[in-house]
Amino acid sequence: MSVESGNAAEPKAVGQRAAWPVWAIAIFFAILYSYALWAGIGNAIGLPQTVWASYHLGISPIGWVLLIIGVLLSPAVFVACLLLGRRRGLVARALIYAAGLCVVSAVLSSLIIAPTIVNFIA
């Protein structure tokens, strides 16, 4: 038998860490990011119907771009945070996820005011 053969009873190496805290933080922030995703989907579905019912008008191409950004932003930032957080400590990962969530919230908040700034309705 060689020395390199692994034994299940041996403790982990010093460089290895438990995976469950990393997954717990990722799942916790995934739930927070999913709220922003759900809001973007709700806006993309409900806003054109509301505009049509209220004004009998459609959404302009700029408006559609803003609605699509609202849907795609949350998953894109979450994946970017996943990639940026690799090989970092637990606290650093949590801070990266929190910073990404702040970015998503700021952009989505600015998209709420966008219809008053740009010609959102065609």
Side-chain angles (χ1 to χ4, degrees):
M1 280 195 118
S2 70
V3 177
E4 284 109 31
S5 64
N7 187 358
E10 292 179 9
K12 291 185 200 177
V14 177
Q16 294 178 340
R17 288 180 250 161
W20 72 268
V22 172
W23 282 101
I25 287 177
I27 290 171
F28 173 73
F29 278 101
I31 292 169
L32 295 177
Y33 278 90
S34 68
Y35 177 77
L37 175 65
W38 186 253
I41 292 171
N43 287 338
I45 292 172
L47 191 66
Q49 294 172 354
T50 304
V51 168
W52 179 256
S54 298
Y55 305 111
H56 296 292
L57 296 172
I59 302 294
S60 70
I62 294 173
W64 280 111
V65 168
L66 292 176
L67 289 174
I68 291 170
I69 287 172
V71 172
L72 297 179
L73 182 69
S74 179
V77 171
F78 183 73
V79 169
C81 289
L82 276 174
L83 295 175
L84 287 173
R86 290 185 314 164
R87 304 186 207 292
R88 297 187 194 263
L90 204 57
V91 175
R93 284 182 195 223
L95 290 175
I96 289 171
Y97 286 129
L101 193 60
C102 289
V103 168
V104 169
S105 298
V107 171
L108 291 181
S109 296
S110 67
L111 289 180
I112 290 173
I113 197 73
T116 62
I117 298 170
V118 298
N119 190 9
F120 195 77
I121 300 173

